[in-house]
């Protein structure tokens, strides 16, 4: 079974044969990889020549050309196969790597493909952010540029505001504040006074002070009556004598 995403690019396809999955091991994984329906397998390689001549894989070292070797194995879940160009018994040049996970074969991406994919992902994210930011930008000849976030304003309006509980002040706090305000008033008396709400404040110097009422003349007879009343109040009423019957 082969699933294609990008037909022209082997990095976008995978291949699996479910009948091989239960018997995959270090000895059978190369035979599994050399299936003719596998799109990653090159039938002109030296492995195919060795297989047709019924020779062992040790003869690959004596040949020149493209070959496949088992590079790493972690049975039964992971196998890594390398495609390489053999130039001599001691000199090879890697061409591609393939990894098999749970029987599914994928081609490992090269460094250029990884960098290209990451750059495209970053550019797409930056472009999307720029387009979204431009949708909130507004311009007017008299005001210039500004940002208008309508969705954020609607969310703030619909969001219930938590009411803060006001704690009552203590008697000590009220008395202390009153004492401080009185002290400040004495040190810095007001220079302007607003007699009625809405009126213009008037300097204190221009306010006319009302004359204090003169003390009324008291007659001498009334003074003696007041003195007698005060002395009587101080001494108290005379004691009553008990009458003998």
């Amino acid at each position: 079974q082969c699933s294609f995403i990008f037909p022209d690019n082997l990095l976008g396809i995978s291949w699996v044969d479910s009948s091989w999955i239960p018997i995959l091991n270090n000895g059978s994984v190369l035979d599994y990889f050399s299936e003719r329906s596998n799109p990653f397998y090159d039938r002109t390689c030296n492995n195919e020549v060795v297989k047709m001549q019924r020779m062992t894989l040790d003869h690959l070292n004596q040949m020149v050309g493209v070959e496949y070797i088992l590079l790493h194995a972690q049975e039964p879940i992971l196998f890594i196969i390398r495609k390489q160009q053999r130039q001599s018994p001691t000199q090879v040049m890697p061409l591609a790597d393939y990894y098999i996970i749970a029987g599914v074969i994928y081609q490992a991406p090269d460094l250029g493909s990884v960098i290209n994919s990451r750059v495209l992902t970053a550019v797409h994210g930056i472009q999307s952010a720029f387009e979204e930011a431009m949708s909130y930008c507004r311009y007017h000849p008299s005001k210039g540029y500004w940002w208008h976030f309508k969705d954020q304003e609607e969310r703030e309006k619909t969001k219930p505001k938590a009411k803060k509980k006001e704690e009552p002040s203590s008697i000590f706090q009220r008395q202390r504040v009153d004492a401080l305000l009185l002290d400040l008033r004495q040190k810095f008396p007001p220079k302007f006074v607003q007699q009625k709400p809405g009126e213009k404040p008037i300097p204190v110097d221009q306010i006319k002070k009302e004359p204090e009422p003169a003390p009324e003349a008291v007659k001498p007879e009334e003074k003696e009556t007041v003195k007698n009343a005060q002395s009587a109040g101080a001494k108290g009423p005379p004691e009553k004598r008990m009458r003998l019957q």
Side-chain angles (χ1 to χ4, degrees), residues 167-178:
E167 298 181 358
S169 60
S170 63
I171 299 176
F172 172 77
Q173 292 174 341
R174 291 194 294 270
Q175 292 179 351
R176 187 62 180 167
V177 170
D178 293 340

Side-chain angles (χ1 to χ4, degrees), residues 1 14-39 41 51 79 81 99-106:
Q1 182 183 357
S14 62
W15 181 84
V16 60
D17 188 349
S18 56
S19 61
W20 280 82
I21 295 177
I23 59 173
L24 276 181
N25 52 44
N26 295 354
S28 62
V29 66
L30 285 176
D31 294 333
Y32 173 60
F33 190 84
S34 61
E35 285 287 329
R36 292 185 175 276
S37 57
N38 181 13
Y41 182 66
K51 184 178 179 181
F79 302 93
I81 295 176
Y99 56 95
I100 304 173
I101 300 178
V104 183
I105 303 177
Y106 307 91

Side-chain angles (χ1 to χ4, degrees), residues 218-232:
V218 182
K219 296 180 178 181
E221 299 177 356
E222 293 179 356
K223 288 183 179 180
E224 292 179 359
T225 306
V226 172
K227 289 181 179 179
N228 293 335
Q230 290 177 355
S231 61

